[in-house]
Amino acid sequence: MIRRPPRSTLFPYTTLFRSEARARFAGAHRIEVNGRKITAKYALVCTGSRPALPNIPGLDPAACLTSENLFELDRAPASLAIIGAGPIGVEMAQAMNRLGVETTLLEFADEILPREEPRLARLLADRLTEEGVRIHVGTAVDH
């Protein structure tokens, strides 16, 4: 299914399509989505992701906040610990911190964004720390 969101006020001459269907590049400036051909000067491919809950004994999945339900809260929590410093965890940490939530970011690896360019990850970690996010790397969360 292809849904056409409202026309962007930031990019008034841009048409946006969102699809949860299979798509493929069908040539220069052409994309095919479920048999429908779309022509575009530029294409931005966002494959998306889903949050994964850690395997922690006693953790109630229904009571966990994830990137899918965090912004559905009626009011912001006073503090929040985010497990995982990949792209989504870092994004949520920065957003919550900028909304005034005391935020701690926990990562098992030795740095945030462990799959990204290390120098850029360090720059971002420094910036987040300057903004007030507490970052703990090399940290295992068990119970």
PDB file of all heavy atoms in Angstrom, residues 60-90:
ATOM      1  N   ASP A  60       8.741  -7.170  32.023  1.00  0.00           N
ATOM      2  CA  ASP A  60       7.394  -7.270  31.475  1.00  0.00           C
ATOM      3  C   ASP A  60       7.331  -6.480  30.175  1.00  0.00           C
ATOM      4  O   ASP A  60       7.358  -5.248  30.199  1.00  0.00           O
ATOM      5  CB  ASP A  60       6.381  -6.716  32.481  1.00  0.00           C
ATOM      6  CG  ASP A  60       4.951  -6.752  31.968  1.00  0.00           C
ATOM      7  OD1 ASP A  60       4.706  -7.297  30.873  1.00  0.00           O
ATOM      8  OD2 ASP A  60       4.076  -6.225  32.685  1.00  0.00           O
ATOM      9  N   PRO A  61       7.272  -7.160  29.034  1.00  0.00           N
ATOM     10  CA  PRO A  61       7.256  -6.447  27.746  1.00  0.00           C
ATOM     11  C   PRO A  61       6.142  -5.416  27.638  1.00  0.00           C
ATOM     12  O   PRO A  61       6.313  -4.372  27.022  1.00  0.00           O
ATOM     13  CB  PRO A  61       7.064  -7.565  26.714  1.00  0.00           C
ATOM     14  CG  PRO A  61       7.541  -8.799  27.392  1.00  0.00           C
ATOM     15  CD  PRO A  61       7.222  -8.609  28.853  1.00  0.00           C
ATOM     16  N   ALA A  62       4.997  -5.679  28.275  1.00  0.00           N
ATOM     17  CA  ALA A  62       3.878  -4.741  28.196  1.00  0.00           C
ATOM     18  C   ALA A  62       4.163  -3.442  28.948  1.00  0.00           C
ATOM     19  O   ALA A  62       3.555  -2.408  28.667  1.00  0.00           O
ATOM     20  CB  ALA A  62       2.612  -5.392  28.740  1.00  0.00           C
ATOM     21  N   ALA A  63       5.089  -3.491  29.894  1.00  0.00           N
ATOM     22  CA  ALA A  63       5.386  -2.301  30.692  1.00  0.00           C
ATOM     23  C   ALA A  63       6.596  -1.524  30.162  1.00  0.00           C
ATOM     24  O   ALA A  63       6.960  -0.493  30.723  1.00  0.00           O
ATOM     25  CB  ALA A  63       5.640  -2.712  32.145  1.00  0.00           C
ATOM     26  N   CYS A  64       7.221  -2.006  29.096  1.00  0.00           N
ATOM     27  CA  CYS A  64       8.424  -1.360  28.558  1.00  0.00           C
ATOM     28  C   CYS A  64       8.067  -0.225  27.611  1.00  0.00           C
ATOM     29  O   CYS A  64       7.128  -0.319  26.824  1.00  0.00           O
ATOM     30  CB  CYS A  64       9.264  -2.374  27.779  1.00  0.00           C
ATOM     31  SG  CYS A  64      10.032  -3.588  28.827  1.00  0.00           S
ATOM     32  N   LEU A  65       8.843   0.811  27.695  1.00  0.00           N
ATOM     33  CA  LEU A  65       8.746   1.890  26.712  1.00  0.00           C
ATOM     34  C   LEU A  65       9.714   1.565  25.587  1.00  0.00           C
ATOM     35  O   LEU A  65      10.824   1.106  25.829  1.00  0.00           O
ATOM     36  CB  LEU A  65       9.119   3.231  27.345  1.00  0.00           C
ATOM     37  CG  LEU A  65       8.166   3.756  28.411  1.00  0.00           C
ATOM     38  CD1 LEU A  65       8.748   4.990  29.073  1.00  0.00           C
ATOM     39  CD2 LEU A  65       6.808   4.050  27.809  1.00  0.00           C
ATOM     40  N   THR A  66       9.289   1.804  24.369  1.00  0.00           N
ATOM     41  CA  THR A  66      10.154   1.623  23.212  1.00  0.00           C
ATOM     42  C   THR A  66      10.032   2.855  22.332  1.00  0.00           C
ATOM     43  O   THR A  66       9.225   3.745  22.595  1.00  0.00           O
ATOM     44  CB  THR A  66       9.746   0.376  22.383  1.00  0.00           C
ATOM     45  OG1 THR A  66       8.486   0.642  21.745  1.00  0.00           O
ATOM     46  CG2 THR A  66       9.654  -0.878  23.243  1.00  0.00           C
ATOM     47  N   SER A  67      10.790   2.884  21.260  1.00  0.00           N
ATOM     48  CA  SER A  67      10.703   4.009  20.324  1.00  0.00           C
ATOM     49  C   SER A  67       9.320   4.081  19.674  1.00  0.00           C
ATOM     50  O   SER A  67       8.946   5.115  19.132  1.00  0.00           O
ATOM     51  CB  SER A  67      11.782   3.888  19.252  1.00  0.00           C
ATOM     52  OG  SER A  67      11.638   2.670  18.553  1.00  0.00           O
ATOM     53  N   GLU A  68       8.557   3.007  19.744  1.00  0.00           N
ATOM     54  CA  GLU A  68       7.227   3.004  19.146  1.00  0.00           C
ATOM     55  C   GLU A  68       6.157   3.583  20.057  1.00  0.00           C
ATOM     56  O   GLU A  68       5.110   4.012  19.588  1.00  0.00           O
ATOM     57  CB  GLU A  68       6.839   1.584  18.723  1.00  0.00           C
ATOM     58  CG  GLU A  68       7.692   1.069  17.582  1.00  0.00           C
ATOM     59  CD  GLU A  68       7.286  -0.313  17.123  1.00  0.00           C
ATOM     60  OE1 GLU A  68       6.650  -1.061  17.890  1.00  0.00           O
ATOM     61  OE2 GLU A  68       7.612  -0.639  15.965  1.00  0.00           O
ATOM     62  N   ASN A  69       6.380   3.582  21.377  1.00  0.00           N
ATOM     63  CA  ASN A  69       5.333   4.084  22.268  1.00  0.00           C
ATOM     64  C   ASN A  69       5.805   5.183  23.226  1.00  0.00           C
ATOM     65  O   ASN A  69       5.003   5.716  23.986  1.00  0.00           O
ATOM     66  CB  ASN A  69       4.706   2.928  23.058  1.00  0.00           C
ATOM     67  CG  ASN A  69       5.680   2.236  23.987  1.00  0.00           C
ATOM     68  OD1 ASN A  69       6.808   2.670  24.188  1.00  0.00           O
ATOM     69  ND2 ASN A  69       5.251   1.117  24.557  1.00  0.00           N
ATOM     70  N   LEU A  70       7.062   5.522  23.180  1.00  0.00           N
ATOM     71  CA  LEU A  70       7.620   6.503  24.112  1.00  0.00           C
ATOM     72  C   LEU A  70       6.897   7.847  24.052  1.00  0.00           C
ATOM     73  O   LEU A  70       6.612   8.457  25.073  1.00  0.00           O
ATOM     74  CB  LEU A  70       9.119   6.699  23.834  1.00  0.00           C
ATOM     75  CG  LEU A  70       9.877   7.658  24.726  1.00  0.00           C
ATOM     76  CD1 LEU A  70       9.791   7.234  26.192  1.00  0.00           C
ATOM     77  CD2 LEU A  70      11.332   7.731  24.296  1.00  0.00           C
ATOM     78  N   PHE A  71       6.570   8.295  22.851  1.00  0.00           N
ATOM     79  CA  PHE A  71       5.959   9.610  22.709  1.00  0.00           C
ATOM     80  C   PHE A  71       4.440   9.573  22.856  1.00  0.00           C
ATOM     81  O   PHE A  71       3.780  10.578  22.634  1.00  0.00           O
ATOM     82  CB  PHE A  71       6.383  10.241  21.376  1.00  0.00           C
ATOM     83  CG  PHE A  71       7.842  10.571  21.351  1.00  0.00           C
ATOM     84  CD1 PHE A  71       8.739   9.746  20.693  1.00  0.00           C
ATOM     85  CD2 PHE A  71       8.324  11.684  22.016  1.00  0.00           C
ATOM     86  CE1 PHE A  71      10.093  10.039  20.685  1.00  0.00           C
ATOM     87  CE2 PHE A  71       9.683  11.983  22.015  1.00  0.00           C
ATOM     88  CZ  PHE A  71      10.566  11.162  21.353  1.00  0.00           C
ATOM     89  N   GLU A  72       3.905   8.436  23.268  1.00  0.00           N
ATOM     90  CA  GLU A  72       2.478   8.333  23.539  1.00  0.00           C
ATOM     91  C   GLU A  72       2.162   8.570  25.017  1.00  0.00           C
ATOM     92  O   GLU A  72       0.995   8.555  25.402  1.00  0.00           O
ATOM     93  CB  GLU A  72       1.963   6.954  23.113  1.00  0.00           C
ATOM     94  CG  GLU A  72       2.042   6.731  21.610  1.00  0.00           C
ATOM     95  CD  GLU A  72       1.672   5.315  21.213  1.00  0.00           C
ATOM     96  OE1 GLU A  72       1.323   4.494  22.088  1.00  0.00           O
ATOM     97  OE2 GLU A  72       1.751   5.023  20.008  1.00  0.00           O
ATOM     98  N   LEU A  73       3.187   8.793  25.832  1.00  0.00           N
ATOM     99  CA  LEU A  73       2.973   9.047  27.256  1.00  0.00           C
ATOM    100  C   LEU A  73       2.173  10.333  27.437  1.00  0.00           C
ATOM    101  O   LEU A  73       2.328  11.289  26.672  1.00  0.00           O
ATOM    102  CB  LEU A  73       4.318   9.179  27.977  1.00  0.00           C
ATOM    103  CG  LEU A  73       5.190   7.933  28.029  1.00  0.00           C
ATOM    104  CD1 LEU A  73       6.558   8.274  28.612  1.00  0.00           C
ATOM    105  CD2 LEU A  73       4.525   6.844  28.850  1.00  0.00           C
ATOM    106  N   ASP A  74       1.331  10.348  28.471  1.00  0.00           N
ATOM    107  CA  ASP A  74       0.561  11.561  28.771  1.00  0.00           C
ATOM    108  C   ASP A  74       1.447  12.676  29.304  1.00  0.00           C
ATOM    109  O   ASP A  74       1.164  13.851  29.109  1.00  0.00           O
ATOM    110  CB  ASP A  74      -0.539  11.259  29.794  1.00  0.00           C
ATOM    111  CG  ASP A  74      -1.622  10.373  29.199  1.00  0.00           C
ATOM    112  OD1 ASP A  74      -1.863  10.460  27.973  1.00  0.00           O
ATOM    113  OD2 ASP A  74      -2.224   9.599  29.956  1.00  0.00           O
ATOM    114  N   ARG A  75       2.501  12.295  30.020  1.00  0.00           N
ATOM    115  CA  ARG A  75       3.459  13.291  30.521  1.00  0.00           C
ATOM    116  C   ARG A  75       4.842  12.662  30.543  1.00  0.00           C
ATOM    117  O   ARG A  75       4.985  11.442  30.631  1.00  0.00           O
ATOM    118  CB  ARG A  75       3.059  13.822  31.886  1.00  0.00           C
ATOM    119  CG  ARG A  75       3.045  12.802  32.985  1.00  0.00           C
ATOM    120  CD  ARG A  75       2.657  13.466  34.327  1.00  0.00           C
ATOM    121  NE  ARG A  75       2.935  12.598  35.423  1.00  0.00           N
ATOM    122  CZ  ARG A  75       2.079  11.699  35.898  1.00  0.00           C
ATOM    123  NH1 ARG A  75       0.899  11.559  35.356  1.00  0.00           N
ATOM    124  NH2 ARG A  75       2.417  10.938  36.920  1.00  0.00           N
ATOM    125  N   ALA A  76       5.835  13.499  30.453  1.00  0.00           N
ATOM    126  CA  ALA A  76       7.225  13.018  30.417  1.00  0.00           C
ATOM    127  C   ALA A  76       7.631  12.494  31.789  1.00  0.00           C
ATOM    128  O   ALA A  76       7.259  13.073  32.811  1.00  0.00           O
ATOM    129  CB  ALA A  76       8.155  14.152  29.998  1.00  0.00           C
ATOM    130  N   PRO A  77       8.405  11.421  31.817  1.00  0.00           N
ATOM    131  CA  PRO A  77       8.910  10.944  33.110  1.00  0.00           C
ATOM    132  C   PRO A  77       9.986  11.884  33.634  1.00  0.00           C
ATOM    133  O   PRO A  77      10.573  12.652  32.867  1.00  0.00           O
ATOM    134  CB  PRO A  77       9.505   9.568  32.763  1.00  0.00           C
ATOM    135  CG  PRO A  77       9.844   9.660  31.313  1.00  0.00           C
ATOM    136  CD  PRO A  77       8.855  10.599  30.703  1.00  0.00           C
ATOM    137  N   ALA A  78      10.242  11.830  34.925  1.00  0.00           N
ATOM    138  CA  ALA A  78      11.302  12.667  35.500  1.00  0.00           C
ATOM    139  C   ALA A  78      12.663  12.183  35.026  1.00  0.00           C
ATOM    140  O   ALA A  78      13.568  12.981  34.782  1.00  0.00           O
ATOM    141  CB  ALA A  78      11.230  12.639  37.030  1.00  0.00           C
ATOM    142  N   SER A  79      12.809  10.862  34.897  1.00  0.00           N
ATOM    143  CA  SER A  79      14.080  10.294  34.442  1.00  0.00           C
ATOM    144  C   SER A  79      13.804   9.060  33.597  1.00  0.00           C
ATOM    145  O   SER A  79      12.722   8.473  33.668  1.00  0.00           O
ATOM    146  CB  SER A  79      14.971   9.946  35.636  1.00  0.00           C
ATOM    147  OG  SER A  79      14.350   8.968  36.449  1.00  0.00           O
ATOM    148  N   LEU A  80      14.817   8.699  32.813  1.00  0.00           N
ATOM    149  CA  LEU A  80      14.660   7.582  31.888  1.00  0.00           C
ATOM    150  C   LEU A  80      16.020   6.958  31.624  1.00  0.00           C
ATOM    151  O   LEU A  80      16.992   7.668  31.377  1.00  0.00           O
ATOM    152  CB  LEU A  80      14.063   8.096  30.571  1.00  0.00           C
ATOM    153  CG  LEU A  80      13.755   7.099  29.479  1.00  0.00           C
ATOM    154  CD1 LEU A  80      12.622   6.153  29.899  1.00  0.00           C
ATOM    155  CD2 LEU A  80      13.347   7.840  28.204  1.00  0.00           C
ATOM    156  N   ALA A  81      16.095   5.632  31.674  1.00  0.00           N
ATOM    157  CA  ALA A  81      17.294   4.903  31.266  1.00  0.00           C
ATOM    158  C   ALA A  81      16.972   4.198  29.963  1.00  0.00           C
ATOM    159  O   ALA A  81      15.954   3.509  29.856  1.00  0.00           O
ATOM    160  CB  ALA A  81      17.707   3.886  32.330  1.00  0.00           C
ATOM    161  N   ILE A  82      17.818   4.387  28.968  1.00  0.00           N
ATOM    162  CA  ILE A  82      17.623   3.785  27.657  1.00  0.00           C
ATOM    163  C   ILE A  82      18.684   2.716  27.474  1.00  0.00           C
ATOM    164  O   ILE A  82      19.875   2.989  27.586  1.00  0.00           O
ATOM    165  CB  ILE A  82      17.704   4.849  26.550  1.00  0.00           C
ATOM    166  CG1 ILE A  82      16.561   5.855  26.739  1.00  0.00           C
ATOM    167  CG2 ILE A  82      17.673   4.196  25.175  1.00  0.00           C
ATOM    168  CD1 ILE A  82      16.621   7.039  25.818  1.00  0.00           C
ATOM    169  N   ILE A  83      18.235   1.489  27.195  1.00  0.00           N
ATOM    170  CA  ILE A  83      19.151   0.367  27.005  1.00  0.00           C
ATOM    171  C   ILE A  83      19.424   0.240  25.511  1.00  0.00           C
ATOM    172  O   ILE A  83      18.528  -0.038  24.729  1.00  0.00           O
ATOM    173  CB  ILE A  83      18.555  -0.939  27.562  1.00  0.00           C
ATOM    174  CG1 ILE A  83      18.235  -0.786  29.055  1.00  0.00           C
ATOM    175  CG2 ILE A  83      19.499  -2.107  27.321  1.00  0.00           C
ATOM    176  CD1 ILE A  83      17.448  -1.939  29.639  1.00  0.00           C
ATOM    177  N   GLY A  84      20.675   0.452  25.139  1.00  0.00           N
ATOM    178  CA  GLY A  84      21.080   0.343  23.745  1.00  0.00           C
ATOM    179  C   GLY A  84      21.373   1.705  23.143  1.00  0.00           C
ATOM    180  O   GLY A  84      20.520   2.579  23.121  1.00  0.00           O
ATOM    181  N   ALA A  85      22.606   1.879  22.690  1.00  0.00           N
ATOM    182  CA  ALA A  85      23.038   3.164  22.125  1.00  0.00           C
ATOM    183  C   ALA A  85      23.308   3.049  20.640  1.00  0.00           C
ATOM    184  O   ALA A  85      24.292   3.557  20.124  1.00  0.00           O
ATOM    185  CB  ALA A  85      24.263   3.687  22.875  1.00  0.00           C
ATOM    186  N   GLY A  86      22.403   2.341  19.949  1.00  0.00           N
ATOM    187  CA  GLY A  86      22.429   2.350  18.490  1.00  0.00           C
ATOM    188  C   GLY A  86      21.716   3.618  18.025  1.00  0.00           C
ATOM    189  O   GLY A  86      21.389   4.490  18.829  1.00  0.00           O
ATOM    190  N   PRO A  87      21.456   3.732  16.737  1.00  0.00           N
ATOM    191  CA  PRO A  87      20.835   4.953  16.217  1.00  0.00           C
ATOM    192  C   PRO A  87      19.516   5.329  16.895  1.00  0.00           C
ATOM    193  O   PRO A  87      19.289   6.490  17.221  1.00  0.00           O
ATOM    194  CB  PRO A  87      20.620   4.642  14.735  1.00  0.00           C
ATOM    195  CG  PRO A  87      21.658   3.623  14.414  1.00  0.00           C
ATOM    196  CD  PRO A  87      21.816   2.800  15.659  1.00  0.00           C
ATOM    197  N   ILE A  88      18.644   4.355  17.135  1.00  0.00           N
ATOM    198  CA  ILE A  88      17.353   4.673  17.741  1.00  0.00           C
ATOM    199  C   ILE A  88      17.520   5.064  19.207  1.00  0.00           C
ATOM    200  O   ILE A  88      16.927   6.040  19.672  1.00  0.00           O
ATOM    201  CB  ILE A  88      16.369   3.495  17.590  1.00  0.00           C
ATOM    202  CG1 ILE A  88      16.046   3.293  16.110  1.00  0.00           C
ATOM    203  CG2 ILE A  88      15.091   3.740  18.381  1.00  0.00           C
ATOM    204  CD1 ILE A  88      15.230   2.057  15.819  1.00  0.00           C
ATOM    205  N   GLY A  89      18.339   4.320  19.947  1.00  0.00           N
ATOM    206  CA  GLY A  89      18.562   4.652  21.350  1.00  0.00           C
ATOM    207  C   GLY A  89      19.166   6.032  21.523  1.00  0.00           C
ATOM    208  O   GLY A  89      18.754   6.807  22.392  1.00  0.00           O
ATOM    209  N   VAL A  90      20.140   6.374  20.677  1.00  0.00           N
ATOM    210  CA  VAL A  90      20.772   7.689  20.741  1.00  0.00           C
ATOM    211  C   VAL A  90      19.755   8.785  20.401  1.00  0.00           C
ATOM    212  O   VAL A  90      19.682   9.819  21.063  1.00  0.00           O
ATOM    213  CB  VAL A  90      22.004   7.756  19.814  1.00  0.00           C
ATOM    214  CG1 VAL A  90      22.496   9.174  19.634  1.00  0.00           C
ATOM    215  CG2 VAL A  90      23.115   6.872  20.377  1.00  0.00           C
TER     216      VAL A  90
END
